[in-house]
Amino acid sequence: MGRYYNGDIEGKFWVAVQSSNAADQFGVEGTAPESLEYYFYEENIPAVESGINKIRGRLDYKKVHGFFNCVTRYTQDDLDKNNITREEVSDYADLALGEKILKCLEENRDCSFTAEC
C-alpha cells in the first residue's frame, strides 16, 4: 500500500526508500500526527533551493536519472548491476519532490500539501 501526498502538488512516495517527512529537508517541517501538513511560502524558496543543491551535490544524477529514465520497475539486482545504492534511489526520489515544491512556489508563490504517514 502506497503513501501519497496531495494539495498544491501531488504524488506518491517511493515505497521502501522515501519517508513521509522527506519534504522536511527543504526548510519546512511537517506537522503530525496522522499526516504531515506542509505550508511553503515564497520566502522558503532559498531553503528549498538549498535542499535541492545538497541532494544534487551528493547524487550522481546522470547515472541514476539514466537508469530510471529507462525503467518503470526495478529490483535490487537491477540496482546492483547499475551500481546504484538505496541511498541514491532515496535521494533521487527526494530530489523530484523538492523540484515539485520549487516549481509550485515559482508558479504560485505558495505551496501546501498533506503527506500520509
Side-chain angles (χ1 to χ4, degrees), residues 61-75 78-79 82 84 89:
Y61 181 81
K62 283 178 114 177
K63 174 182 74 171
V64 180
H65 181 70
F67 173 77
F68 284 108
N69 201 32
C70 295
V71 301
T72 55
R73 297 179 187 198
Y74 65 93
T75 65
D78 296 328
L79 296 176
N82 288 277
I84 297 173
V89 175

Side-chain angles (χ1 to χ4, degrees), residues 36-47:
L36 298 172
E37 301 286 334
Y38 286 96
Y39 302 96
F40 289 88
Y41 301 98
E42 196 170 30
E43 59 265 19
N44 298 120
I45 288 176

Side-chain angles (χ1 to χ4, degrees), residues 1-4 12-13 15 116:
M1 181 165 178
R3 293 167 293 111
Y4 294 85
K12 183 176 181 182
F13 291 107
V15 176
E116 296 177 354

Side-chain angles (χ1 to χ4, degrees), residues 3-108:
R3 293 167 293 111
Y4 294 85
Y5 53 91
N6 56 62
D8 289 335
I9 61 172
E10 296 183 351
K12 183 176 181 182
F13 291 107
W14 290 35
V15 176
V17 296
Q18 191 174 29
S19 68
S20 295
N21 67 344
D24 282 2
Q25 65 191 315
F26 302 110
V28 173
E29 289 188 23
T31 57
E34 295 175 19
S35 61
L36 298 172
E37 301 286 334
Y38 286 96
Y39 302 96
F40 289 88
Y41 301 98
E42 196 170 30
E43 59 265 19
N44 298 120
I45 288 176
V48 174
E49 290 173 332
S50 176
I52 288 170
N53 290 334
K54 284 179 185 175
I55 294 171
R56 282 206 176 256
R58 65 179 180 253
L59 180 65
D60 184 344
Y61 181 81
K62 283 178 114 177
K63 174 182 74 171
V64 180
H65 181 70
F67 173 77
F68 284 108
N69 201 32
C70 295
V71 301
T72 55
R73 297 179 187 198
Y74 65 93
T75 65
Q76 184 62 49
D77 285 342
D78 296 328
L79 296 176
D80 293 343
K81 288 176 188 171
N82 288 277
N83 197 30
I84 297 173
T85 66
R86 287 289 221 190
E87 291 79 17
E88 288 175 307
V89 175
S90 180
D91 277 346
Y92 186 72
D94 290 351
L95 179 62
L97 175 61
E99 289 174 341
K100 273 186 184 179
I101 294 167
L102 181 59
K103 182 178 179 188
C104 182
L105 285 170
E106 290 172 343
E107 292 175 355
N108 305 307

